[in-house]
Amino acid sequence: MELLEWRLVLSCDSDFTDSVLTITCSAEDDSIRVRIDDGGALLLNEVAITGAPSTRNTDEIVIAAGAGYVHGDGSDIVRLRFENTFG
């Protein structure tokens, strides 16, 4: 048996259109973290988002956490960390 390296499998998709960042996740238990890096770029689970949303070009963030949240079982975790101000 061989030990595989650690891998991050994202269960969320993102779309950045017309200054709106939309994050849509699966029906599974999701951990969603959106934060601003030192350069002002928005990151989803520590990964750069296609379309390069940032504090300068994003007016709205929409998160559809998936069935875990909708059904009220509390299985999804959503974290937003915005210590920088939007410019």
Side-chain angles (χ1 to χ4, degrees), residues 2-72:
E2 181 180 346
L3 180 64
L4 297 175
E5 75 243 16
W6 183 84
R7 294 182 179 146
L8 174 65
V9 178
L10 296 177
S11 58
C12 299
D13 292 319
S14 63
D15 177 65
F16 183 60
T17 304
D18 297 327
S19 299
V20 177
L21 173 60
T22 303
I23 299 169
T24 307
C25 298
S26 71
E28 303 299 320
D29 295 349
D30 299 307
S31 182
I32 305 156
R33 181 176 182 222
V34 178
R35 75 170 187 90
I36 302 169
D37 73 6
D38 291 337
L42 298 176
L43 302 177
L44 172 58
N45 293 339
E46 298 303 316
V47 176
I49 301 168
T50 301
S54 70
T55 56
R56 292 181 182 85
N57 64 8
T58 304
D59 294 329
E60 184 177 355
I61 299 172
V62 177
I63 299 175
Y69 179 76
V70 172
H71 292 165

